[in-house]
Coordinates of all heavy atoms in Angstrom, one line a residue:
M1 N 90.7 79.4 95.1 CA 91.2 80.0 96.3 C 92.0 81.2 96.0 O 92.7 81.3 95.0 CB 92.2 79.0 97.0 CG 92.5 79.3 98.4 SD 93.5 78.0 99.1 CE 95.1 78.7 98.9
Q2 N 91.8 82.3 96.8 CA 92.5 83.5 96.5 C 93.7 83.7 97.4 O 93.6 83.6 98.6 CB 91.5 84.7 96.7 CG 91.9 85.9 95.9 CD 90.8 86.8 95.7 OE1 89.8 86.8 96.5 NE2 90.9 87.7 94.8
A3 N 94.8 84.0 96.8 CA 96.0 84.2 97.6 C 95.9 85.5 98.4 O 95.3 86.5 97.9 CB 97.2 84.3 96.6
S4 N 96.5 85.5 99.5 CA 96.5 86.8 100.3 C 97.4 87.8 99.7 O 98.3 87.4 98.9 CB 96.9 86.5 101.8 OG 98.3 86.3 101.7
E5 N 97.2 89.0 100.1 CA 98.1 90.1 99.5 C 99.6 89.8 99.8 O 100.4 90.0 98.9 CB 97.7 91.4 100.1 CG 96.4 92.0 99.5 CD 96.5 92.5 98.1 OE1 97.2 93.4 97.9 OE2 95.8 92.0 97.2
T6 N 99.8 89.3 101.0 CA 101.2 89.1 101.4 C 101.9 88.1 100.4 O 102.9 88.3 99.9 CB 101.3 88.5 102.8 OG1 100.5 89.3 103.6 CG2 102.7 88.5 103.2
T7 N 101.1 87.0 100.2 CA 101.6 86.0 99.3 C 101.8 86.6 97.9 O 102.8 86.3 97.2 CB 100.6 84.8 99.2 OG1 100.0 84.6 100.5 CG2 101.3 83.6 98.7
K8 N 100.8 87.4 97.5 CA 100.9 88.0 96.2 C 102.2 88.8 96.0 O 102.9 88.6 95.0 CB 99.7 89.0 96.1 CG 99.4 89.4 94.6 CD 98.1 90.1 94.6 CE 98.3 91.6 94.4 NZ 97.1 92.4 94.5
Y9 N 102.5 89.7 97.0 CA 103.7 90.5 96.8 C 105.0 89.6 97.0 O 105.9 89.8 96.3 CB 103.7 91.6 97.8 CG 102.8 92.7 97.4 CD1 101.5 92.8 97.9 CD2 103.3 93.7 96.4 CE1 100.7 93.9 97.4 CE2 102.4 94.7 96.0 CZ 101.1 94.8 96.5 OH 100.3 95.8 96.0
A10 N 105.0 88.7 98.0 CA 106.1 87.9 98.2 C 106.4 87.0 97.0 O 107.5 86.8 96.6 CB 105.9 87.1 99.5
N11 N 105.4 86.5 96.4 CA 105.5 85.6 95.3 C 106.1 86.3 94.0 O 106.8 85.7 93.3 CB 104.2 85.0 94.9 CG 103.8 83.8 95.7 OD1 104.7 83.3 96.5 ND2 102.6 83.3 95.5
R12 N 105.8 87.5 94.0 CA 106.3 88.3 92.8 C 107.7 88.9 93.1 O 108.2 89.8 92.5 CB 105.4 89.4 92.4 CG 104.2 88.9 91.8 CD 103.5 89.9 90.9 NE 102.1 89.9 91.1 CZ 101.4 91.1 91.2 NH1 102.0 92.2 91.2 NH2 100.1 91.0 91.3
S13 N 108.3 88.4 94.2 CA 109.6 88.8 94.7 C 109.7 90.3 94.9 O 110.7 90.9 94.6 CB 110.7 88.3 93.7 OG 110.6 88.9 92.5
F14 N 108.7 90.9 95.5 CA 108.8 92.2 95.9 C 109.7 92.4 97.1 O 109.7 91.6 98.0 CB 107.3 92.8 96.2 CG 106.6 93.3 95.1 CD1 106.1 92.4 94.1 CD2 106.3 94.7 95.0 CE1 105.4 92.9 93.0 CE2 105.6 95.2 93.9 CZ 105.1 94.3 92.9
Q15 N 110.5 93.5 97.1 CA 111.3 93.7 98.2 C 110.6 94.7 99.2 O 109.9 95.6 98.7 CB 112.6 94.4 97.8 CG 113.4 93.5 96.8 CD 113.9 92.3 97.4 OE1 114.4 92.3 98.5 NE2 113.7 91.2 96.7
P16 N 110.8 94.5 100.5 CA 110.2 95.5 101.4 C 110.7 96.9 101.2 O 111.8 97.1 100.6 CB 110.7 95.0 102.8 CG 111.1 93.5 102.6 CD 111.6 93.5 101.1
I17 N 109.9 97.9 101.6 CA 110.3 99.2 101.4 C 111.5 99.6 102.3 O 111.9 98.8 103.2 CB 109.2 100.2 101.8 CG1 108.7 100.0 103.2 CG2 108.0 100.0 100.8 CD1 108.1 101.2 103.8
I18 N 112.1 100.7 102.0 CA 113.2 101.2 102.8 C 112.8 102.4 103.6 O 111.7 102.9 103.5 CB 114.5 101.5 102.0 CG1 114.1 102.6 101.0 CG2 115.0 100.3 101.2 CD1 115.4 103.2 100.3
D19 N 113.7 102.9 104.6 CA 113.3 104.0 105.4 C 112.8 105.2 104.7 O 111.9 105.9 105.1 CB 114.6 104.4 106.3 CG 114.9 103.3 107.3 OD1 114.1 102.4 107.4 OD2 116.0 103.4 107.9
K20 N 113.4 105.5 103.5 CA 113.1 106.7 102.8 C 111.7 106.6 102.2 O 111.1 107.7 101.9 CB 114.1 106.9 101.6 CG 115.5 107.3 102.1 CD 116.4 107.3 100.9 CE 117.8 107.6 101.4 NZ 118.8 107.2 100.3
C21 N 111.1 105.5 102.1 CA 109.8 105.3 101.6 C 108.7 105.7 102.7 O 107.6 105.9 102.3 CB 109.5 103.9 101.2 SG 110.5 103.4 99.8
E22 N 109.1 105.7 103.9 CA 108.1 106.0 105.0 C 107.3 107.3 104.7 O 107.9 108.3 104.4 CB 108.8 106.1 106.3 CG 109.3 104.8 106.9 CD 108.2 103.8 107.2 OE1 107.0 104.2 107.3 OE2 108.4 102.6 107.4
G23 N 106.0 107.1 104.7 CA 105.2 108.3 104.4 C 104.6 108.3 103.0 O 103.7 109.1 102.7
C24 N 105.1 107.5 102.2 CA 104.6 107.4 100.8 C 103.2 106.7 100.8 O 103.0 105.8 101.5 CB 105.6 106.7 100.0 SG 105.1 106.6 98.3
D25 N 102.4 107.2 99.9 CA 101.0 106.7 99.8 C 101.0 105.4 99.0 O 99.9 104.7 99.0 CB 100.1 107.7 99.1 CG 99.7 108.8 100.0 OD1 99.9 108.7 101.2 OD2 99.3 109.9 99.4
R26 N 102.1 105.0 98.4 CA 102.1 103.8 97.6 C 102.5 102.5 98.4 O 102.6 101.5 97.9 CB 103.1 103.9 96.4 CG 102.6 105.0 95.5 CD 103.5 105.1 94.3 NE 103.3 106.4 93.6 CZ 102.5 106.5 92.7 NH1 101.8 105.5 92.2 NH2 102.3 107.7 92.1
I27 N 102.7 102.7 99.7 CA 103.1 101.6 100.5 C 101.9 100.8 100.8 O 100.8 101.3 101.2 CB 103.7 102.1 101.9 CG1 105.0 102.9 101.6 CG2 103.9 101.0 102.9 CD1 105.6 103.5 102.8
V28 N 102.0 99.5 100.7 CA 100.9 98.5 101.2 C 101.5 97.8 102.3 O 102.6 97.3 102.3 CB 100.5 97.6 100.0 CG1 99.6 98.3 99.0 CG2 101.7 96.9 99.3
D29 N 100.7 97.8 103.4 CA 101.1 97.2 104.6 C 100.6 95.7 104.7 O 99.3 95.6 104.7 CB 100.6 98.0 105.8 CG 101.4 97.8 107.1 OD1 102.1 96.7 107.1 OD2 101.3 98.6 108.0
E30 N 101.4 94.8 104.6 CA 100.9 93.4 104.6 C 101.5 92.7 105.9 O 102.7 92.3 105.9 CB 101.4 92.6 103.4 CG 100.7 93.2 102.1 CD 99.2 93.1 102.1 OE1 98.6 92.3 102.9 OE2 98.6 93.9 101.4
G31 N 100.7 92.7 106.9 CA 101.2 92.0 108.1 C 102.3 92.9 108.7 O 102.1 94.1 108.9
S32 N 103.4 92.3 108.9 CA 104.5 93.1 109.5 C 105.5 93.6 108.4 O 106.4 94.4 108.7 CB 105.3 92.2 110.4 OG 105.7 91.0 109.7
V33 N 105.2 93.3 107.1 CA 106.0 93.7 106.1 C 105.4 94.8 105.2 O 104.2 94.6 104.9 CB 106.5 92.5 105.2 CG1 107.6 93.0 104.2 CG2 107.0 91.4 106.0
K34 N 106.1 95.8 104.8 CA 105.5 96.8 104.0 C 106.2 96.7 102.6 O 107.3 96.6 102.5 CB 105.8 98.2 104.6 CG 105.0 98.5 105.8 CD 105.4 99.9 106.4 CE 104.7 100.2 107.6 NZ 105.2 101.4 108.2
Y35 N 105.3 96.8 101.6 CA 105.8 96.7 100.2 C 105.4 97.9 99.5 O 104.4 98.6 99.9 CB 105.2 95.5 99.5 CG 105.6 94.2 100.1 CD1 104.8 93.5 100.9 CD2 106.8 93.6 99.7 CE1 105.2 92.2 101.5 CE2 107.2 92.4 100.2 CZ 106.4 91.7 101.1 OH 106.8 90.5 101.6
C36 N 106.1 98.2 98.4 CA 105.7 99.3 97.5 C 104.7 98.7 96.4 O 105.1 97.7 95.9 CB 106.9 99.9 96.9 SG 106.5 101.1 95.5
R37 N 103.7 99.4 96.2 CA 102.7 98.8 95.2 C 103.2 99.1 93.8 O 102.7 98.6 92.9 CB 101.3 99.4 95.6 CG 100.4 100.0 94.6 CD 99.0 100.1 95.2 NE 98.9 100.9 96.4 CZ 98.5 102.1 96.4 NH1 98.3 102.8 95.3 NH2 98.4 102.8 97.5
T38 N 104.1 100.0 93.7 CA 104.6 100.4 92.3 C 105.9 99.7 91.9 O 106.1 99.3 90.8 CB 104.8 101.9 92.3 OG1 103.6 102.5 92.8 CG2 105.0 102.4 90.9
Y39 N 106.8 99.6 92.9 CA 108.1 99.1 92.5 C 108.4 97.8 93.3 O 108.1 97.7 94.5 CB 109.2 100.0 92.8 CG 109.1 101.2 91.8 CD1 108.8 102.5 92.2 CD2 109.4 101.0 90.4 CE1 108.6 103.5 91.3 CE2 109.3 102.0 89.5 CZ 108.9 103.3 90.0 OH 108.8 104.3 89.1
K40 N 109.1 96.9 92.6 CA 109.5 95.6 93.2 C 110.7 95.9 94.2 O 110.8 95.2 95.2 CB 110.0 94.7 92.1 CG 109.0 93.7 91.6 CD 109.6 92.9 90.6 CE 108.9 91.6 90.3 NZ 109.6 90.7 89.4
D41 N 111.5 96.8 93.8 CA 112.7 97.0 94.5 C 112.9 98.5 94.9 O 113.6 99.2 94.2 CB 113.9 96.5 93.6 CG 115.2 96.5 94.5 OD1 115.2 96.9 95.7 OD2 116.2 96.1 93.9
P42 N 112.2 98.9 96.0 CA 112.3 100.3 96.4 C 113.7 100.9 96.6 O 114.0 102.0 96.3 CB 111.5 100.4 97.7 CG 110.6 99.1 97.6 CD 111.4 98.1 96.9
E43 N 114.6 100.0 97.1 CA 115.9 100.5 97.4 C 116.6 101.0 96.1 O 117.3 102.0 96.1 CB 116.7 99.4 98.0 CG 118.0 99.9 98.7 CD 118.7 98.9 99.5 OE1 118.2 97.8 99.6 OE2 119.8 99.2 100.0
A44 N 116.4 100.2 95.0 CA 117.0 100.6 93.7 C 116.4 101.9 93.2 O 117.1 102.7 92.6 CB 116.7 99.5 92.7
K45 N 115.2 102.1 93.6 CA 114.5 103.3 93.1 C 115.1 104.6 93.7 O 115.1 105.6 93.2 CB 113.0 103.2 93.6 CG 112.0 103.8 92.6 CD 112.2 103.5 91.2 CE 111.9 104.7 90.4 NZ 112.3 104.7 89.1
W46 N 115.6 104.5 95.0 CA 116.2 105.6 95.7 C 117.7 105.7 95.5 O 118.3 106.6 95.9 CB 115.9 105.4 97.2 CG 114.5 105.8 97.5 CD1 113.5 104.9 97.6 CD2 114.0 107.1 97.9 NE1 112.3 105.7 97.9 CE2 112.6 107.0 98.1 CE3 114.6 108.4 98.0 CZ2 111.8 108.1 98.4 CZ3 113.8 109.4 98.3 CH2 112.5 109.3 98.6
H47 N 118.2 104.7 94.7 CA 119.7 104.6 94.6 C 120.3 105.8 93.9 O 121.3 106.3 94.2 CB 120.0 103.3 93.8 CG 121.4 102.9 94.0 ND1 121.9 102.5 95.3 CD2 122.4 102.8 93.1 CE1 123.1 102.1 95.1 NE2 123.5 102.3 93.9
L48 N 119.5 106.3 92.9 CA 120.0 107.5 92.1 C 119.5 108.8 92.6 O 119.6 109.8 91.9 CB 119.7 107.2 90.7 CG 120.3 106.0 90.0 CD1 119.8 105.8 88.6 CD2 121.9 106.1 90.0
G49 N 118.9 108.8 93.7 CA 118.3 110.1 94.2 C 116.9 109.8 94.7 O 116.6 108.7 95.2
L50 N 116.0 110.8 94.5 CA 114.6 110.6 94.9 C 113.9 109.6 94.0 O 114.2 109.5 92.8 CB 113.9 112.0 94.7 CG 114.1 113.0 95.8 CD1 113.3 114.3 95.4 CD2 113.7 112.5 97.2
C51 N 113.0 108.9 94.7 CA 112.1 108.0 93.9 C 111.1 108.9 93.2 O 110.5 109.8 93.8 CB 111.4 107.1 94.8 SG 110.0 106.3 94.1
N52 N 111.0 108.8 91.9 CA 110.1 109.7 91.1 C 108.6 109.5 91.3 O 107.8 110.2 90.9 CB 110.5 109.7 89.7 CG 110.4 108.3 89.1 OD1 110.6 107.3 89.8 ND2 110.2 108.2 87.8
F53 N 108.3 108.4 92.0 CA 106.9 108.1 92.3 C 106.5 108.4 93.7 O 105.4 108.1 94.1 CB 106.5 106.7 91.9 CG 106.1 106.6 90.5 CD1 107.0 106.4 89.5 CD2 104.8 106.7 90.1 CE1 106.6 106.2 88.1 CE2 104.4 106.6 88.8 CZ 105.3 106.4 87.8
A54 N 107.5 108.8 94.5 CA 107.2 109.1 95.9 C 106.2 110.2 96.0 O 106.2 111.2 95.4 CB 108.5 109.5 96.6
T55 N 105.2 109.9 96.9 CA 104.1 110.9 97.1 C 104.4 111.9 98.2 O 103.8 112.9 98.4 CB 102.8 110.2 97.4 OG1 102.9 109.4 98.6 CG2 102.3 109.4 96.2
H56 N 105.5 111.5 99.0 CA 105.8 112.3 100.2 C 107.1 113.2 100.0 O 107.4 113.9 100.9 CB 105.9 111.4 101.4 CG 107.1 110.5 101.2 ND1 107.3 109.6 100.1 CD2 108.1 110.2 102.1 CE1 108.3 108.9 100.3 NE2 108.9 109.2 101.4
A57 N 107.7 113.0 99.0 CA 109.0 113.7 98.7 C 109.0 114.2 97.3 O 108.8 113.5 96.3 CB 110.2 112.8 99.0
K58 N 109.3 115.5 97.2 CA 109.4 116.0 95.8 C 110.8 116.7 95.7 O 111.3 117.2 96.6 CB 108.3 117.1 95.7 CG 106.9 116.6 95.8 CD 106.3 116.3 94.4 CE 104.9 115.7 94.5 NZ 104.9 114.2 94.5
P59 N 111.3 116.6 94.5 CA 112.6 117.3 94.2 C 112.4 118.8 94.4 O 111.3 119.3 94.0 CB 112.9 116.9 92.8 CG 111.7 116.5 92.2 CD 110.8 116.0 93.3
E60 N 113.4 119.5 94.9 CA 113.3 120.9 95.0 C 113.4 121.5 93.6 O 114.2 121.2 92.8 CB 114.5 121.4 95.9 CG 114.2 121.4 97.3 CD 115.3 122.0 98.1 OE1 115.9 123.0 97.6 OE2 115.5 121.5 99.2
L61 N 112.5 122.4 93.4 CA 112.5 123.1 92.1 C 113.4 124.3 92.1 O 113.3 125.1 93.0 CB 111.1 123.5 91.7 CG 110.1 122.4 91.3 CD1 108.8 123.0 90.9 CD2 110.7 121.7 90.1
N62 N 114.3 124.4 91.3 CA 115.2 125.5 91.2 C 114.6 126.5 90.1 O 114.8 126.2 88.9 CB 116.6 125.1 90.9 CG 117.3 124.5 92.0 OD1 117.1 124.8 93.2 ND2 118.1 123.4 91.7
L63 N 113.9 127.5 90.6 CA 113.3 128.3 89.6 C 114.3 129.4 89.2 O 115.0 130.0 90.0 CB 112.1 129.0 90.2 CG 110.9 128.1 90.5 CD1 109.8 128.9 91.1 CD2 110.4 127.5 89.2
V64 N 114.5 129.4 87.9 CA 115.5 130.4 87.4 C 114.8 131.5 86.7 O 113.9 131.3 85.9 CB 116.4 129.7 86.3 CG1 117.5 130.7 85.8 CG2 117.1 128.5 86.9
K65 N 115.1 132.7 87.1 CA 114.4 133.8 86.5 C 115.0 134.1 85.2 O 116.2 134.2 85.0 CB 114.6 135.1 87.4 CG 113.7 135.1 88.6 CD 113.6 136.5 89.2 CE 112.5 136.5 90.3 NZ 112.4 137.8 90.9
V66 N 114.1 134.1 84.2 CA 114.5 134.4 82.9 C 114.3 135.8 82.5 O 113.2 136.3 82.7 CB 113.8 133.4 81.9 CG1 114.2 133.7 80.5 CG2 113.9 132.0 82.3
R67 N 115.3 136.4 82.1 CA 115.1 137.9 81.7 C 114.4 137.9 80.4 O 114.8 137.3 79.4 CB 116.5 138.5 81.6 CG 117.0 139.0 82.9 CD 118.3 139.8 82.6 NE 118.0 141.0 81.8 CZ 118.1 142.2 82.2 NH1 118.3 142.4 83.5 NH2 117.8 143.2 81.5
V68 N 113.4 138.6 80.3 CA 112.6 138.7 79.1 C 112.8 140.2 78.6 O 112.6 141.1 79.3 CB 111.1 138.4 79.4 CG1 110.3 138.6 78.1 CG2 110.9 137.1 80.0
N69 N 113.1 140.2 77.3 CA 113.2 141.5 76.6 C 111.8 141.9 76.4 O 111.0 141.3 75.6 CB 114.0 141.3 75.3 CG 114.1 142.6 74.6 OD1 113.3 143.5 74.7 ND2 115.2 142.6 73.9
P70 N 111.3 143.0 77.0 CA 109.9 143.5 76.9 C 109.5 143.7 75.4 O 108.4 143.5 75.0 CB 109.9 144.8 77.7 CG 111.2 145.0 78.2 CD 112.1 143.9 77.8
L71 N 110.4 144.2 74.6 CA 110.1 144.5 73.2 C 109.8 143.2 72.4 O 108.8 143.1 71.7 CB 111.3 145.2 72.6 CG 111.0 146.2 71.5 CD1 110.1 147.3 72.0 CD2 112.3 146.7 70.8
K72 N 110.7 142.2 72.6 CA 110.5 140.9 72.0 C 109.2 140.2 72.5 O 108.5 139.6 71.7 CB 111.7 140.0 72.2 CG 112.9 140.4 71.3 CD 114.0 139.4 71.5 CE 115.2 139.8 70.7 NZ 116.3 138.9 70.9
A73 N 109.0 140.3 73.8 CA 107.8 139.7 74.3 C 106.6 140.3 73.7 O 105.6 139.6 73.4 CB 107.8 139.9 75.9
S74 N 106.5 141.6 73.6 CA 105.4 142.3 73.0 C 105.2 141.9 71.6 O 104.1 141.6 71.1 CB 105.5 143.8 73.2 OG 105.3 144.4 72.0
K75 N 106.3 141.7 70.8 CA 106.1 141.3 69.4 C 105.6 139.9 69.4 O 104.7 139.6 68.5 CB 107.5 141.3 68.7 CG 108.0 142.6 68.3 CD 109.3 142.5 67.5 CE 109.8 143.9 67.1 NZ 111.1 143.8 66.5
R76 N 106.1 139.0 70.2 CA 105.6 137.6 70.3 C 104.1 137.6 70.6 O 103.4 136.9 70.0 CB 106.3 136.8 71.3 CG 107.5 136.0 70.8 CD 107.9 134.9 71.8 NE 108.3 135.5 73.1 CZ 109.5 135.8 73.4 NH1 110.5 135.7 72.5 NH2 109.8 136.3 74.6
A77 N 103.7 138.4 71.5 CA 102.3 138.4 71.9 C 101.4 138.9 70.8 O 100.3 138.3 70.6 CB 102.1 139.3 73.2
S78 N 101.9 139.9 70.1 CA 101.1 140.4 69.0 C 101.0 139.4 67.8 O 100.0 139.4 67.1 CB 101.6 141.8 68.5 OG 102.9 141.6 68.0
R79 N 102.0 138.6 67.6 CA 102.1 137.6 66.6 C 101.0 136.5 66.8 O 100.5 135.9 65.9 CB 103.4 137.0 66.5 CG 104.1 137.3 65.1 CD 105.4 136.5 65.0 NE 106.5 137.3 65.7 CZ 107.5 136.7 66.3 NH1 107.5 135.4 66.4 NH2 108.4 137.4 66.9
R80 N 100.8 136.2 68.1 CA 99.9 135.2 68.4 C 98.4 135.5 68.2 O 97.5 134.7 68.1 CB 100.0 134.8 69.9 CG 101.0 133.6 70.0 CD 101.1 133.1 71.5 NE 102.5 133.2 71.9 CZ 102.9 133.7 73.0 NH1 102.1 134.3 73.8 NH2 104.2 133.7 73.3
K81 N 98.1 136.8 68.0 CA 96.7 137.2 67.9 C 96.2 136.9 66.5 O 96.8 136.7 65.6 CB 96.6 138.7 68.1 CG 96.7 139.0 69.6 CD 96.6 140.5 69.8 CE 97.0 140.9 71.3 NZ 97.2 142.3 71.5
Ligands
LIG101 S1 106.7 104.8 95.2 FE1 108.9 105.1 95.7 S2 108.9 106.1 97.7 FE2 106.9 105.3 97.4 S3 107.0 103.3 98.4 FE3 107.5 103.0 96.3 S4 109.7 103.1 96.1 FE4 109.1 103.9 98.1

């Protein structure tokens, strides 16, 4: 006999997803309860900020412009040849 997905997640003590998870591709919808297929405890995943496996939310990248000395860059490039 094969256990249903709901039983599968519930038996492994998976916690339902939280509001912040809405929209994530890793959500599995089992009846009226939604679980995360990757984490047992989605709330804990968001506790310290963004969930790093969220497919719908990405951390903002702060691009820092690095000043490059053209002379050194040219030397580095010629060394690689
Ligand atoms: S991967 Fe992260 S954001 Fe997505 S459902 Fe799981 S805990 Fe939520």
Side-chain angles (χ1 to χ4, degrees):
M1 197 177 99
Q2 202 162 22
S4 75
E5 287 285 302
T6 314
T7 322
K8 196 171 107 188
Y9 283 97
N11 276 353
R12 290 206 222 134
S13 64
F14 271 72
Q15 299 296 313
I17 57 150
I18 60 168
D19 290 352
K20 290 174 184 167
C21 295
E22 287 296 344
C24 181
D25 285 345
R26 293 178 199 273
I27 294 173
V28 282
D29 202 341
E30 295 302 336
S32 56
V33 189
K34 291 176 178 172
Y35 296 99
C36 171
R37 134 160 62 93
T38 312
Y39 290 111
K40 270 181 158 185
D41 190 355
E43 194 173 0
K45 214 46 217 166
W46 283 91
H47 201 65
L48 299 172
L50 280 178
C51 167
N52 56 336
F53 271 89
T55 58
H56 63 309
K58 297 266 177 265
E60 273 185 36
L61 286 180
N62 289 322
L63 293 179
V64 181
K65 280 197 173 179
V66 180
R67 275 185 63 107
V68 178
N69 182 330
L71 209 64
K72 286 185 180 173
S74 129
K75 277 186 186 171
R76 265 198 301 271
S78 64
R79 241 184 280 141
R80 265 184 237 132
K81 283 177 189 169

